[in-house]
Amino acid sequence: MPVTAKICGLSTPDTLDAALAGGASHVGFVFFPPSPRHLAFDQAAALAARTGDRARRVGVFVDPDDSLVAEAVAAARLDAIQLHKVTPGRAAALRRTAGVETWVALAVKTAADLAAAPTFAGAADRLLYDAKTPDDAALPGGMGVRFDWRLLDGARHPLPWALSGGLDAGNVAEAAALTGARLVDVSSGVERAPGVKDVDKIAAFLQRVAQL
């Protein structure tokens, strides 16, 4: 199976176009005000219209309430929601109310963190193994932090999954080889500043993924 990529935290037409031109399978729109990548609903709607059917649209949320998810799904015509800092019960509830594919981010630092993965079987459609950020960090992801990918070597996965956390054009091949990931997710690794995507870095990342 080929490796595909999600470019997350997109906020401008030119960077979205770069992701689509490079063959991204998914594009991510962040709905979390503390993030430098946060989108207003009108911005998200415009980007969604520009995306068309060329990639699947994923909305990224952190412990959201139902109304935020519902409004974002409608505005951006989301194909999936990606949830950070939710319990299996909360993920299942949002999955029911949103009515779209549901991903849950699992923050990983040690092998013990992987023990939570089976608890999301039946509550979500996909797991996103992401690097655990420091306890005092303002954001749960998008900080360029990576975890030891060897933790996933030989792991049994209860759901389809994707790999995130500290990926860039220089290390994505190693990450895919070590983990067996077939969907990789990048945000800060294709930026020149927090929240500022770089079209050349997006192109380089997707070019590397296409070679895997």
Side-chain angles (χ1 to χ4, degrees):
M1 286 177 60
V3 179
T4 61
K6 169 172 164 270
I7 306 297
C8 197
L10 292 162
S11 60
T12 63
D14 63 325
T15 56
L16 174 65
D17 288 350
L20 297 172
S25 59
H26 298 75
V27 291
F29 303 144
V30 175
F31 300 95
F32 182 56
S35 171
R37 306 167 185 93
H38 172 69
L39 291 180
F41 294 137
D42 59 341
Q43 290 176 289
L47 293 174
R50 195 176 186 93
T51 305
D53 60 2
R54 290 186 287 169
R56 292 176 62 78
R57 294 176 292 276
V58 183
V60 180
F61 305 87
V62 181
D63 188 22
D65 59 34
D66 291 26
S67 61
L68 172 63
V69 173
E71 288 184 72
V73 168
R77 292 180 289 140
L78 298 178
D79 298 295
I81 56 174
Q82 176 182 316
L83 306 173
H84 292 253
K85 297 191 174 181
V86 293
T87 63
R90 184 68 182 129
L94 285 166
R95 184 186 184 212
R96 283 193 299 272
T97 58
V100 297
E101 184 179 313
T102 298
W103 304 10
V104 170
L106 195 65
V108 179
K109 186 174 183 180
T110 69
D113 295 318
L114 298 175
T119 66
F120 288 97
D125 301 287
R126 184 183 295 274
L127 290 174
L128 178 71
Y129 296 111
D130 197 5
K132 183 178 285 187
T133 55
D135 291 339
D136 59 351
L139 305 175
M143 298 179 66
V145 180
R146 59 178 274 189
F147 65 93
D148 184 352
W149 298 318
R150 291 172 297 182
L151 294 174
L152 294 180
D153 185 19
R156 296 183 64 182
H157 304 285
L159 290 167
W161 60 280
L163 180 67
S164 186
L167 297 176
D168 57 37
N171 64 25
V172 67
E174 177 192 3
L178 279 175
T179 64
R182 286 297 170 264
L183 176 57
V184 292
D185 184 349
V186 66
S187 185
S188 62
V190 291
E191 292 180 342
R192 58 178 179 267
V196 183
K197 292 287 184 287
D198 184 294
V199 294
D200 293 330
K201 289 185 176 184
I202 291 172
F205 184 86
L206 291 171
Q207 213 167 37
R208 191 69 189 94
V209 168
Q211 297 167 352
L212 301 179

